[in-house]
Amino acid sequence: EAGVAQSPRYKIIEKRQSVAFWCNPISGHATLYWYQQILGQGPKLLIQFQNNGVVDDSQLPKDRFSAERLKGVDSTLKIQPAKLEDSAVYLCASSFRDKPQETQYFGPGTRLLVL
Amino acid sequence: KNEVEQSPQNLTAQEGEFITINCSYSVGISALHWLQQHPGGGIVSLFMLSSGKKKHGRLIATINIQEKHSSLHITASHPRDSAVYICAVGPTYLPWNTGNQFYFGTGTSLTVIP
C-alpha cells in the first residue's frame, strides 16, 4: 500500500515570496490533515479536511495561508507571502475516518526555509 | 498551557539499556498515540492506545486513564531506535462540525550509543 506522498521535500525561498506544497493521501482516506512542525516542537494542526470540506481551520493564519482539497483527494497548502517564522516542516497526514481513534499516516514532510 | 507533557525532553542511552519515555495529559481523551520521527524523515505511528498495554517487538506502551499518564518502553535498546518519540492524544470525540484536533507533546529525543 502506498503511503502519504508529499512534494517537494525541501524548499528554500526568500521572505515575501509564495510557496505551495502538495499532498496525496492514502487511497480511500477521507480525512486529511496539514500540520506545521517548528524545530523542537510537536506538530501543530493547521487545517483538517473531511473529503473536500474543511472541518477545522481555526489555527490556520488565513491572512497568508490557504489550503484546498477540491476533489476530496489531493490537497495543496499555499503560503503567500512567506515570513521568516514560517520556516518549519509541513506535514500532511491522512486517516480513514474522522475519529481520534483512527491511526494517522504521515507523509515525509516538506522542509521549508524562509530566508 | 500544554495539554500534553512529555519527559524527558532528551535521553541518551547505551545500547542494550531499558528506556522509558513518559507522557502526561490534562484533557479527557478517547485515544493516545505514540509516534516515532527519525531525523529528516516522516512520522510513523507506533501505537494507538485507549486502555491497558500494547506490545510490538521490543516496544511496549502502557496507559493509565485514571492517572492520565502513558509510558513507552524500549527493551534492549539499539542505535536504530534513535529518533524523536512523540505522544499525541485524541480528545473525547467532539461534535462533527468542530473536528477532532489532536494535541501533541513536544517529543523526546532519544540517542542510543553503540
Side-chain angles (χ1 to χ4, degrees), chain B residues 20-90:
Chain B
T20 296
I21 300 171
N22 296 300
C23 174
S24 297
Y25 52 91
S26 57
V27 295
I29 69 166
S30 55
L32 182 144
H33 300 254
W34 280 103
L35 311 170
Q36 181 191 56
Q37 185 173 33
H38 282 281
I43 294 177
V44 173
S45 179
L46 297 174
F47 293 104
M48 190 283 289
L49 292 163
S50 53
S51 64
K53 177 179 169 179
K54 284 190 176 179
K55 185 175 189 292
H56 185 260
R58 296 179 295 105
L59 302 178
I60 303 167
T62 63
I63 188 168
N64 185 318
I65 298 293
Q66 287 73 31
E67 295 185 2
K68 296 188 173 180
H69 180 270
S70 175
S71 293
L72 176 68
H73 306 286
I74 305 176
T75 61
S77 60
H78 190 277
R80 64 175 174 267
D81 297 327
S82 298
V84 175
Y85 292 84
I86 302 171
C87 173
V89 301

Side-chain angles (χ1 to χ4, degrees), chain A residues 32-36 42-49 56-61 104, chain B residues 99-102 104:
Chain A
L32 185 147
Y33 308 82
W34 280 105
Y35 293 94
Q36 179 194 58
K44 181 185 89 170
L45 179 70
L46 292 176
I47 188 167
Q48 177 185 339
F49 291 96
D56 186 348
D57 63 357
S58 56
Q59 295 197 90
L60 187 73
Q104 290 192 27
Chain B
N100 60 342
Q101 182 175 334
F102 282 77
F104 288 82

